[in-house]
């Protein structure tokens, strides 16, 4: 019996694990004022990460995505990769990064067991990249993508939050970039977070419109694997790269949900758009607590809702995207 299963028969093979909420970028849709440190916080230790990953794997999880904040800012990040990758049952270890350290460390991450990289590149115009992220590091990030390919990654996924009036004019440039490069370009629909309603109202682009354009241009949708993320992925015979669309406002977006989140402070979040987290940390102190941790996870899943409530304007935890690995 699959143990990580909710009341709607959804199975959860995919864990998004935040290891820090520290970030050195100031993206206007996430941390527009930059990261504000809280000296009281203590992020999950390597041993706690090992126990957590082992428990999820024992309950059917096969893929772990390590997120932040910016996960590579942790000094023991390579050790974290190695620990997760060494867990029996874990087949895929991915990360989401702003690319800040990729050029120097992609090869080390690959050797440690990392199997996939997602890097945020919100514009191919260095000036717009700077405007959106608050960092003038476009060329460093692009060098990091090259380093990832040199290290042996067959594909790099590139995340871009598409925003009207800012980077929506980059679509043609993005398509030209992936024509001869094995990049999966993932357009993420801007989400309403409650704290940045004005940004949403000014810059939101409906993902459904992009999907319609792609289908008209001959792009074809791929079937999802059981532990894939939420993106609808499209391919075209004339392109080496692919396009993914993450559209949280799409009908039935939640029907295929297969992922759970654990924050850098050890709280389980059943949904990115939920209101609260279930504390797990008291059951990560010793190796002998796995059975109790499994029980708490099963009990928590009984409360998972069928869908989010974004359409009703309920944004849940999204104002805290940086701390829960949004």
């Amino acid at each position: 019996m699959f143990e990580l299963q909710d009341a709607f028969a959804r199975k959860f093979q995919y864990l998004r694990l935040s290891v820090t909420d520290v970030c050195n970028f100031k993206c206007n849709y996430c941390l527009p004022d930059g990261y504000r440190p809280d000296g009281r916080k203590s992020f999950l230790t390597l041993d706690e990460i090992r126990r957590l990953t082992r428990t999820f794997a024992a309950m059917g999880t096969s893929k772990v995505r390590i997120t932040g904040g910016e996960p590579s800012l942790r000094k023991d990040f390579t050790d974290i990769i190695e620990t997760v990758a060494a867990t029996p049952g874990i087949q895929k270890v991915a990360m989401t990064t702003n690319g800040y350290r990729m050029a120097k460390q992609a090869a080390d991450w690959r050797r440690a067991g990392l199997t996939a990289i997602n890097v945020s590149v919100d514009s191919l115009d260095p000036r717009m990249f700077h405007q959106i992220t608050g960092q003038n590091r476009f060329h460093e990030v692009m060098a990091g993508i090259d380093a990832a390919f040199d290290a042996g990654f067959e594909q790099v996924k590139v995340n871009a939050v598409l925003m009207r009036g800012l980077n929506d004019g980059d679509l043609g440039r993005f398509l030209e970039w992936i024509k001869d490069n094995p990049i999966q370009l993932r357009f993420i629909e801007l989400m309403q977070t409650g704290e940045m309603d004005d940004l949403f109202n000014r810059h939101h682009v409906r993902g459904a419109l992009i999907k319609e354009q792609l289908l008209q241009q001959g792009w074809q949708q791929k079937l999802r694997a059981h532990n894939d993320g939420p993106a609808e992925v499209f391919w075209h015979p004339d392109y080496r790269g692919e396009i993914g669309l993450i559209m949280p406002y799409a009908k039935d977006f939640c029907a295929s949900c297969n992922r759970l989140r654990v924050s850098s402070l050890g709280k389980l979040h059943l949904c990115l758009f939920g209101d609260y987290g279930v504390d797990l940390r008291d059951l990560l102190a010793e190796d002998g607590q796995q059975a109790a941790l499994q029980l708490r996870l099963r009990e928590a899943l009984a409360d998972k809702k069928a869908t989010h409530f974004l359409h009703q304007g309920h944004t849940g935890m999204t104002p805290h995207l940086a701390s829960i690995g949004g």
Side-chain angles (χ1 to χ4, degrees), residues 109-168:
W109 299 340
R110 178 75 174 174
R111 283 190 291 269
L114 193 70
T115 60
I117 290 180
N118 287 37
V119 56
S120 296
V121 182
D122 288 307
S123 177
L124 294 179
D125 178 344
R127 290 170 298 180
M128 182 55 66
F129 179 95
H130 189 184
Q131 181 177 335
I132 293 173
T133 66
Q135 288 282 0
N136 187 19
R137 296 185 180 275
F138 172 77
H139 297 291
E140 293 176 44
V141 173
M142 297 299 283
I145 294 174
D146 290 338
F149 285 124
D150 290 342
F153 291 94
E154 296 181 1
Q155 183 188 65
V156 173
K157 295 180 180 179
V158 171
N159 296 339
V161 177
L162 208 57
M163 292 177 282
R164 184 174 66 246
L166 292 177
N167 62 356
D168 56 332

Side-chain angles (χ1 to χ4, degrees), residues 154-261:
E154 296 181 1
Q155 183 188 65
V156 173
K157 295 180 180 179
V158 171
N159 296 339
V161 177
L162 208 57
M163 292 177 282
R164 184 174 66 246
L166 292 177
N167 62 356
D168 56 332
D170 275 12
L171 184 57
R173 191 181 299 186
F174 273 124
L175 289 174
E176 186 63 29
W177 184 39
I178 69 171
K179 192 171 184 64
D180 299 311
N181 292 297
I183 289 169
Q184 186 184 109
L185 180 61
R186 296 150 57 89
F187 291 121
I188 302 173
E189 191 169 351
L190 184 66
M191 293 179 290
Q192 195 165 7
T193 66
E195 291 187 353
M196 290 181 280
D197 287 350
D198 184 55
L199 180 83
F200 178 84
N201 293 330
R202 282 185 287 119
H203 299 301
H204 179 243
V205 178
R206 289 179 57 235
L209 294 178
I210 305 299
K211 180 176 179 178
E212 185 177 327
Q213 292 177 28
L214 293 176
L215 293 175
Q216 289 174 353
Q217 295 169 11
W219 291 82
Q220 302 174 53
Q221 191 167 348
K222 295 178 66 175
L223 293 176
R224 294 176 75 251
H226 74 280
N227 60 5
D228 278 348
E232 294 184 22
V233 179
F234 301 82
W235 68 277
H236 193 290
D238 297 334
Y239 287 77
R240 285 191 70 194
E242 299 174 332
I243 294 179
L245 297 178
I246 298 178
M247 302 178 289
Y249 295 94
K251 182 182 178 183
D252 297 329
F253 177 75
C254 300
S256 60
C257 183
N258 63 350
R259 58 208 171 277
L260 298 171
R261 286 175 165 79

Side-chain angles (χ1 to χ4, degrees), residues 192 197 200 248-249 254 273 306-316:
Q192 195 165 7
D197 287 350
F200 178 84
Y249 295 94
C254 300
F273 312 102
T307 182
H308 61 57
F309 300 97
L310 275 179
H311 294 95
Q312 290 84 10
H314 185 80
T315 58

Side-chain angles (χ1 to χ4, degrees), residues 15-36:
L15 170 63
R16 293 182 63 100
L17 174 61
S18 176
V19 296
T20 181
D21 63 15
V22 180
C23 189
N24 57 330
F25 279 30
K26 297 188 291 184
C27 297
N28 59 6
Y29 51 82
C30 184
L31 285 174
D33 298 322
Y35 175 73
R36 297 177 180 178

Side-chain angles (χ1 to χ4, degrees), residues 26 97 126 151 246 296 318:
K26 297 188 291 184
T97 176
I246 298 178
R296 187 171 296 176
T318 50

